[in-house]
Amino acid sequence: MKKTILLLLLNCGFLAAQTKTLITPYGEKVNIELSPSTDNLGNHTATETLNLDTHDIDNVSTIFIKKDALFLDKNSGNSNSFSLNKNDGTFGIYNSSAANNPLSIDETSSKTTLLSAQITKNANNFALSPQMASVAVSGNENGDVDWKPLYKVKGATTFQVVKYSDGNSIYNSKTFNEVPGLTFTYTAPANGYLIIETNLYTVIPDAAANATPTSVKTEMAVTVNGLVNTYGTSLITTTDSSEFLNGGGDVPEFTATQSQYLVLERGTYTISVRARTADQTNSDVGSSVGIYKAADGTQYVSSLLLTLVAN
């Protein structure tokens, strides 16, 4: 009976300390460590995979990974994975499905390389996909990205339209008349300056040029909504047509003009190229503007080109 009482007293005392010595009924002393001061994990080398059984790891200071940190899909039916790795000075995110690094960072230059990229939100955080051919620009001083069509980026120059003449203006007309194919209505997609360029061929028919040597002055006018925006002129002094380009045919002269016109978004503008024979030394010899036909059959066609500088 005395031994039993001794055992009970020792057990009660043993609950209040980390280590206790227990005396068995046979007089043996046994040391028992109730709560070890360390878990000994720090100097433990695992011999098999550590299974935390879905538990977390908290209060981690630094994690050292010498190979890959592998991320599996939550969907167990998908065996593809992503992994973080560093190899020969390049940090990468590896995609097992594509068998490449879609993102990599060089440790020396800090240059980041993307194999592909997609930005679906603009600076205002609207979940809108960019339109085809839009460009990414800085949306604010923080460098947030915004998507805009190029023709709405201030200072950007974008091609708008090109037109070609399909005939000639009225021969030897003293009044301005249209060069066929170079009159149309333009709708501005954004505010800006419309750059209007023309490449115009003035011709005197070979038969008329050989009739009487003469000089002919031709005037060309580019109009916007009926008002002259710019003028161009040409002066042709006729001679034997064999001395002209390609050995004959119509006697040509080339004139180029350039001007600008302020346009507003969604505004409509009727643009026209007109021509007239302004002056000549022989009233029977005139000119027209449009298509120059060389003796070898080559055609040189007048054109009108529009580009927009966004404002």
Side-chain angles (χ1 to χ4, degrees):
M1 186 64 181
K2 289 182 180 180
K3 291 182 179 180
T4 302
I5 293 173
L6 178 60
L7 284 174
L8 290 174
L9 289 173
L10 287 174
N11 273 304
C12 289
F14 146 69
L15 293 175
Q18 294 292 329
T19 303
K20 286 293 183 180
T21 300
L22 178 66
I23 301 176
T24 69
Y26 304 101
E28 298 172 324
K29 294 182 179 180
V30 179
N31 293 325
I32 297 178
E33 187 175 359
L34 176 63
S35 178
S37 58
T38 61
D39 59 11
N40 210 30
L41 186 60
N43 59 10
H44 171 71
T45 301
T47 59
E48 59 183 54
T49 301
L50 181 64
N51 187 347
L52 297 181
D53 194 22
T54 72
H55 294 309
D56 298 333
I57 299 177
D58 293 333
N59 300 322
V60 176
S61 174
T62 304
I63 296 178
F64 296 92
I65 299 174
K66 290 188 175 181
K67 291 188 177 180
D68 290 351
L70 188 67
F71 296 86
L72 301 176
D73 202 304
K74 288 183 177 181
N75 178 7
S76 59
N78 183 356
S79 61
N80 296 318
S81 64
F82 283 94
S83 61
L84 302 180
N85 61 80
K86 185 173 181 289
N87 185 33
D88 290 334
T90 300
F91 172 80
I93 298 178
Y94 182 79
N95 179 2
S96 69
S97 178
N100 58 32
N101 280 4
L103 181 147
S104 59
I105 304 174
D106 184 271
E107 70 177 3
T108 302
S109 64
S110 291
K111 181 178 180 180
T112 301
T113 302
L114 292 173
L115 296 185
S116 62
Q118 182 181 43
I119 302 174
T120 59
K121 293 183 179 181
N122 63 16
N124 295 317
N125 206 34
F126 296 139
L128 299 175
S129 297
Q131 299 298 311
M132 183 70 70
S134 293
V135 295
V137 298
S138 177
N140 52 41
E141 65 278 4
N142 297 321
D144 294 331
V145 171
D146 202 357
W147 286 106
K148 287 185 178 181
L150 187 59
Y151 57 77
K152 286 194 174 183
V153 177
K154 187 173 182 178
T157 300
T158 55
F159 166 78
Q160 297 297 289
V161 68
V162 62
K163 294 287 184 179
Y164 298 96
S165 61
D166 52 17
N168 286 63
S169 61
I170 299 174
Y171 172 73
N172 204 17
S173 172
K174 295 298 182 182
T175 60
F176 281 109
N177 61 97
E178 293 180 1
V179 178
L182 300 186
T183 296
F184 70 103
T185 299
Y186 166 77
T187 301
N191 297 334
Y193 288 94
L194 188 66
I195 307 300
I196 305 172
E197 299 178 80
T198 63
N199 297 296
L200 305 173
Y201 290 94
T202 303
V203 295
I204 298 175
D206 181 48
N210 288 331
T212 305
T214 186
S215 65
V216 177
K217 179 182 180 182
T218 307
E219 288 184 345
M220 292 141 282
V222 178
T223 65
V224 180
N225 291 344
L227 300 177
V228 176
N229 184 247
T230 188
Y231 281 110
T233 62
S234 69
L235 181 65
I236 299 177
T237 300
T238 63
T239 183
D240 189 333
S241 60
S242 63
E243 298 181 14
F244 284 81
L245 184 64
N246 293 323
D250 296 341
V251 181
E253 180 67 34
F254 175 77
T255 303
T257 69
Q258 186 180 81
S259 62
Q260 66 180 27
Y261 192 87
L262 180 64
V263 295
L264 301 177
E265 185 174 355
R266 293 187 295 276
T268 57
Y269 306 89
T270 299
I271 300 171
S272 181
V273 178
R274 301 168 180 268
R276 70 171 182 170
T277 300
D279 189 24
Q280 71 265 67
T281 56
N282 185 328
S283 59
D284 293 331
V285 179
S287 61
S288 62
V289 176
I291 299 175
Y292 159 48
K293 298 179 181 179
D296 64 357
T298 304
Q299 288 197 141
Y300 299 85
V301 181
S302 297
S303 63
L304 171 66
L305 173 67
L306 302 183
T307 54
L308 179 65
V309 179
N311 185 17

mmCIF file of all heavy atoms in Angstrom, residues 3 7 23-28:
data_model
loop_
_atom_site.group_PDB
_atom_site.id
_atom_site.type_symbol
_atom_site.label_atom_id
_atom_site.label_comp_id
_atom_site.label_asym_id
_atom_site.label_seq_id
_atom_site.Cartn_x
_atom_site.Cartn_y
_atom_site.Cartn_z
ATOM 1 N N LYS A 3 3.786 1.671 -1.451
ATOM 2 C CA LYS A 3 4.357 1.844 -2.802
ATOM 3 C C LYS A 3 3.369 2.515 -3.730
ATOM 4 O O LYS A 3 3.722 3.354 -4.539
ATOM 5 C CB LYS A 3 4.782 0.496 -3.370
ATOM 6 C CG LYS A 3 5.989 -0.090 -2.652
ATOM 7 C CD LYS A 3 6.385 -1.401 -3.282
ATOM 8 C CE LYS A 3 7.613 -1.977 -2.564
ATOM 9 N NZ LYS A 3 8.047 -3.264 -3.140
ATOM 10 N N LEU A 7 3.865 6.217 -5.796
ATOM 11 C CA LEU A 7 3.708 6.366 -7.243
ATOM 12 C C LEU A 7 2.753 7.494 -7.571
ATOM 13 O O LEU A 7 2.985 8.302 -8.470
ATOM 14 C CB LEU A 7 3.238 5.058 -7.868
ATOM 15 C CG LEU A 7 4.295 3.971 -8.018
ATOM 16 C CD1 LEU A 7 3.650 2.691 -8.523
ATOM 17 C CD2 LEU A 7 5.396 4.428 -8.964
ATOM 18 N N ILE A 23 10.089 6.420 -9.668
ATOM 19 C CA ILE A 23 10.565 5.218 -8.971
ATOM 20 C C ILE A 23 9.492 4.151 -9.078
ATOM 21 O O ILE A 23 8.345 4.366 -8.697
ATOM 22 C CB ILE A 23 10.859 5.502 -7.491
ATOM 23 C CG1 ILE A 23 11.945 6.612 -7.378
ATOM 24 C CG2 ILE A 23 11.331 4.247 -6.779
ATOM 25 C CD1 ILE A 23 12.221 7.026 -5.954
ATOM 26 N N THR A 24 9.847 3.079 -9.667
ATOM 27 C CA THR A 24 8.889 2.005 -9.882
ATOM 28 C C THR A 24 8.670 1.254 -8.583
ATOM 29 O O THR A 24 9.437 1.422 -7.611
ATOM 30 C CB THR A 24 9.408 1.023 -10.950
ATOM 31 O OG1 THR A 24 10.533 0.319 -10.406
ATOM 32 C CG2 THR A 24 9.831 1.759 -12.216
ATOM 33 N N PRO A 25 7.640 0.406 -8.471
ATOM 34 C CA PRO A 25 7.385 -0.402 -7.273
ATOM 35 C C PRO A 25 8.549 -1.295 -6.914
ATOM 36 O O PRO A 25 8.658 -1.792 -5.794
ATOM 37 C CB PRO A 25 6.155 -1.214 -7.652
ATOM 38 C CG PRO A 25 5.475 -0.398 -8.673
ATOM 39 C CD PRO A 25 6.560 0.259 -9.458
ATOM 40 N N TYR A 26 9.467 -1.475 -7.871
ATOM 41 C CA TYR A 26 10.603 -2.355 -7.615
ATOM 42 C C TYR A 26 11.881 -1.574 -7.282
ATOM 43 O O TYR A 26 12.974 -2.105 -7.291
ATOM 44 C CB TYR A 26 10.856 -3.266 -8.817
ATOM 45 C CG TYR A 26 9.647 -4.075 -9.189
ATOM 46 C CD1 TYR A 26 8.839 -3.702 -10.253
ATOM 47 C CD2 TYR A 26 9.299 -5.222 -8.434
ATOM 48 C CE1 TYR A 26 7.711 -4.429 -10.566
ATOM 49 C CE2 TYR A 26 8.171 -5.958 -8.759
ATOM 50 C CZ TYR A 26 7.370 -5.552 -9.826
ATOM 51 O OH TYR A 26 6.252 -6.264 -10.146
ATOM 52 N N GLY A 27 11.741 -0.234 -7.112
ATOM 53 C CA GLY A 27 12.873 0.587 -6.718
ATOM 54 C C GLY A 27 13.722 1.100 -7.863
ATOM 55 O O GLY A 27 14.792 1.675 -7.655
ATOM 56 N N GLU A 28 13.273 0.935 -9.101
ATOM 57 C CA GLU A 28 14.020 1.409 -10.261
ATOM 58 C C GLU A 28 13.684 2.880 -10.536
ATOM 59 O O GLU A 28 12.544 3.315 -10.391
ATOM 60 C CB GLU A 28 13.678 0.560 -11.487
ATOM 61 C CG GLU A 28 14.050 -0.905 -11.314
ATOM 62 C CD GLU A 28 13.509 -1.737 -12.459
ATOM 63 O OE1 GLU A 28 12.392 -1.410 -12.922
ATOM 64 O OE2 GLU A 28 14.193 -2.666 -12.916
#
